[in-house]
Every structure is written in C-alpha cells, then in structure tokens.
Amino acid sequence: MNIFVINSGSSSIKYQLFRWPAEQPVCSGLVERIGSDEATIRHTVFEQEGATAEQRLVLPLSDHEAGLREVVRLLTAQPGGVIRDPAEIAAVGHRVVHGGEAFAATTLITAEVKAEIRRLFALAPLHNPANYLGIEVAEQLFAQARQVAVFDTAFHQTMPEYAFRYALPTALYEEQRIRKYGFHGTSHQYVAAQAAAYLQNPDARLITIHLGNGCSMAAVRGGQSLDTSMGFGPLSGLVMGTRSGDLDPSVLLHLLGPLGYSAEQVSTLLNKESGMLGLAGSNDMRDIGQALAAGDARAALAYDLYAYRIRHYIGAYTATLNGLDAIVFTAGVGENDALVRAKVCARMEFFGLQLDEEKNQQRSPGLRDLSEPASRARILVIPTNEELEIARQSAELLTAHA
C-alpha cells in the first residue's frame, strides 16, 4: 500500500512516500518558497542498498496546487519515478496542527472534518489554513486515495482537566473553548513510543523534549500525555527560536497600555522577534554557539536561559509523573546540540540524571543513550520522524476501516 505523507506549510510542502508496511520511505522532498518565481524543490529517491538519487529544481510556483502538481510529476516521471500513476496512492496522510477538542485521534477526512478544520483557523491562523489547503489540493490530485488527518494536538487530549484548564471564568472554556491544547504531539508520541520500547517498559515515566525552532516538552506516562508546555497556542513554555515562551501576562498589559503597542505589534514581538533571536540576535543555535565560543555575553545568557527553562519543566514534570525513568531529547537542536544537553543535565543528580560527557559529544544515527552507568534515569537522544508516525497512524486507521 502506497501512503503519501504531506506536511503543508504557509509557503512550503514537505512530503514522503512509503510503500507500506516498509517503514523506510521510497522518496522524500521539500518544496519551498511557494508563490515565488524562484521556488525550489529538493526531491530524493531512496534506491536499493542505501543509494540515493537527488534532484534540485528552481522554478516559478504560483501556489500549493502548482507545487504539488510538480511533485506528482517527479513521482511519476519515467525513468526514475517511484509510481506510474497518482491512482497508485492508497492514502494521503496530512499533518494538521490544530484539532481542538473535536479530534483526539487520527481521522478520515470528510466534508464535516474539513468544516471543523476551517472553524479552527482562528486558533492556528499560521498553520491550519495551509494544512487545509494541502488537503484541498491532494483531493484533486489523488482523487482515488483516502485522505487522513493526523492532528498535532490529538496526542495531548489525554491530559486531565486540571492540567488543561486555565483559571479563567468557566464560560470562556465552555463557550470559547479557551484551554491548553499542546502541540508537536506527533513528535512526542513517536519518540515516547521509541523510548518505552528501548526501556522495555510500556508504563515508562518519560519527559520528551522537542527542541527545534519551535520547542515543547511533554510529561508522558504509559504512552499518554499528562501535561505539555505549549498551551492555547504554540507560544507558551520554553524559550524558542523567535518565540518568547512563558511570560507574565502583566507584560502584555504593559505593552498594550502604557507602551501603546497594538495587538498585532504584540503578536509580532512575541512570535517573531523574541526567544533566542531577541536575546542573542539570531534564532539559529549554530550561530549562537559560535558567538558563545567567541565570548559573546548575550549568547552566554541566551544559552543559560534556554537550558534553565528546560530544567524548570523537568522539575515540574518529574513531580507530575511522580518519578522519572528517562528524558528524551529530539528534533534539530535536541538531537545535535551537545552543549544544550550538557547545560540541561548539569547538576541534576537529584532527579537521577547523570550525563556521560564523552557519549554526549559523539554523533551517530538512531537512538543514543547518553547516561552514565550509575544514572537512575536514562538520558536519551531519539531522532523524531513525524512523517513515519503519520504514515503509521494512517495505515492503522485504514486497516481498522477495511
């Protein structure tokens, strides 16, 4: 069964094709700068014995439909194509960022489901419209395929009410559904399952730490999310590339009142101008790491604040879990930045965390255990694979509806 996975952004499309049940993709690619005369497509075909064939195209792409049509051309081009006809695709799995309370699991896309995704545009204005557009285009190009939605928020729907409710008037929850939803659920779910399998403990108490340009943490016990750092939107919690993370609401009132900011200016400030960019002048941890090595004081503060916020949540979530079996670093920064991991794990013996500094500096693919032998809780690095998780959930859903 061919499962095509689409992650549609505001000006990009990330995709992978799986020939299920094989979990290694047949091909993958990234379309960027959609709407530009110089859009780019990087398309990689994974051949036998680990070889790859790569193409990079620069061409005008007016919209997502044009981008996805070009992807279909690459998929079916002969020679070199991985399918002969779009009708060979049995399912298209879509990442959808916000599912609200309506979706606690992977869902077959119907007219009613699409209407609910549209209704949630206001809760995820940067993401859900793009995700919805990807669905609309895929329905045209893969007309015979089943369309499947996998929601970032679904994994966190297991949070108890005392964890997801805010201390606001009840009407704001009951009428406006203002509550914590959480995000990066597909990533947290994938690495938590990998960690539990490694520990040979399906009931493992885990803290999963997704560190990319967007960052979040989750407290996971027995494969279920009990709490997560992102909330109503993806702004709260950890310090991120350009997002502030947790902030005293009084700061917002001060910005909107005495300082005269508009709501739009505050949104831009907190989402696009804060975080590591605001602290250190860059949202790329590689650049900040170089500045730190050169003795830059702003970079040093930024790294310390970034790691401190993670440590703060480790403490909170260890209490939530009533113990700790492992922490899991994942995503671009979590998987590759040894200094971040070292700063997070420093002086954490009370929580049973002892990092092996030599292992922490080494790089290798796949799951890595960076713990000292005496460490009571394991320190793991697990590369996330959201596309594979989407394919898995799509296949499970189709099997259940066969």
Side-chain angles (χ1 to χ4, degrees):
M1 176 170 62
N2 289 319
I3 300 177
F4 190 53
V5 175
I6 295 177
N7 184 346
S8 182
S10 58
S11 61
S12 66
I13 302 170
K14 188 160 66 169
Y15 61 89
Q16 288 191 18
L17 177 64
F18 294 87
R19 195 154 288 145
W20 207 257
E23 294 194 345
Q24 291 299 318
V26 176
C27 73
S28 69
L30 177 64
V31 186
E32 295 183 288
R33 301 184 66 185
I34 293 173
S36 164
D37 289 337
E38 295 185 346
T40 61
I41 300 178
R42 284 179 287 164
H43 180 77
T44 303
V45 175
F46 301 100
E47 300 174 337
Q48 293 182 350
E49 299 178 358
T52 60
E54 298 183 359
Q55 296 183 61
R56 185 179 186 277
L57 307 177
V58 179
L59 70 170
L61 293 175
S62 57
D63 52 27
H64 284 67
E65 181 176 354
L68 205 49
R69 285 191 182 279
E70 187 64 24
V71 170
V72 170
R73 186 191 68 78
L74 291 168
L75 293 175
T76 57
Q78 300 300 327
V82 292
I83 57 174
R84 292 187 175 276
D85 190 282
E88 295 177 27
I89 301 296
V92 181
H94 297 268
R95 178 199 181 207
V96 181
V97 165
H98 214 307
E101 291 187 318
F103 303 108
T106 298
T107 305
L108 285 172
I109 296 173
T110 63
E112 292 74 20
V113 170
K114 288 168 63 178
E116 185 65 19
I117 293 171
R118 285 198 305 271
R119 191 185 70 79
L120 293 166
F121 279 6
L123 297 187
L126 298 179
H127 299 93
N128 269 36
N131 304 152
Y132 182 87
L133 186 56
I135 294 169
E136 291 267 274
V137 174
E139 286 177 331
Q140 297 176 35
L141 299 181
F142 304 101
Q144 298 183 42
R146 307 293 293 275
Q147 307 290 328
V148 178
V150 179
F151 297 91
D152 270 13
T153 50
F155 179 60
H156 300 301
Q157 287 297 301
T158 54
M159 287 188 294
E161 187 170 4
Y162 59 76
F164 72 68
R165 283 285 297 275
Y166 295 120
L168 295 170
T170 300
L172 285 174
Y173 170 63
E174 294 180 343
E175 298 170 14
Q176 304 299 327
R177 313 319 283 180
I178 294 177
R179 51 157 285 181
K180 177 186 286 192
Y181 290 101
F183 300 90
H184 294 145
T186 307
S187 177
H188 288 294
Q189 184 172 7
Y190 176 81
V191 299
Q194 297 291 307
Y198 172 76
L199 297 171
Q200 298 183 328
N201 180 5
D203 297 319
R205 297 163 298 180
L206 307 169
I207 298 175
T208 51
I209 308 170
H210 179 107
L211 303 177
N213 194 48
C215 304
S216 66
M217 292 172 61
V220 181
R221 185 174 63 210
Q224 294 193 324
S225 175
L226 301 186
D227 203 353
T228 189
S229 58
M230 285 181 169
F232 181 68
L235 183 58
S236 64
L238 304 180
V239 177
M240 306 179 219
T242 63
R243 298 178 197 149
S244 65
D246 285 342
L247 192 70
D248 180 352
S250 299
V251 175
L252 305 182
L253 300 177
H254 188 67
L255 291 168
L256 292 166
L259 298 187
Y261 279 61
S262 67
E264 183 177 354
Q265 286 174 319
V266 170
S267 177
T268 299
L269 172 70
L270 299 184
N271 282 291
K272 299 180 179 180
E273 298 173 351
S274 297
M276 298 301 274
L277 178 63
L279 289 168
S282 173
N283 65 319
D284 190 316
M285 294 296 283
R286 293 166 296 188
D287 295 339
I288 301 170
Q290 291 175 1
L292 176 64
D296 187 289
R298 293 175 63 196
L301 173 62
Y303 254 94
D304 287 343
L305 203 164
Y306 186 93
Y308 175 79
R309 190 71 60 83
I310 297 169
R311 290 158 58 87
H312 174 88
Y313 272 94
I314 289 174
Y317 287 168
T318 300
T320 296
L321 295 166
N322 192 25
L324 183 63
D325 295 306
I327 64 172
V328 182
F329 290 97
T330 193
V333 176
E335 294 167 27
N336 297 303
D337 196 317
L339 180 58
V340 163
R341 295 192 298 263
K343 284 182 171 290
V344 168
C345 296
R347 300 183 305 281
M348 295 287 275
E349 294 84 1
F350 180 81
F351 294 96
L353 297 168
Q354 292 179 256
L355 180 71
D356 186 313
E357 293 290 353
E358 184 176 343
K359 289 180 182 177
N360 187 42
Q361 294 298 326
Q362 297 171 356
R363 291 198 176 198
S364 61
L367 185 152
R368 289 179 282 159
D369 188 334
L370 309 184
S371 318
E372 290 273 13
S375 185
R376 299 193 311 276
R378 311 316 294 169
I379 302 167
L380 307 178
V381 174
I382 302 179
T384 192
N385 194 331
E386 292 170 286
E387 287 75 24
L388 174 57
E389 183 64 27
I390 291 171
R392 281 178 178 170
Q393 293 188 32
S394 298
E396 289 172 2
L397 183 68
L398 292 180
T399 301
H401 284 79

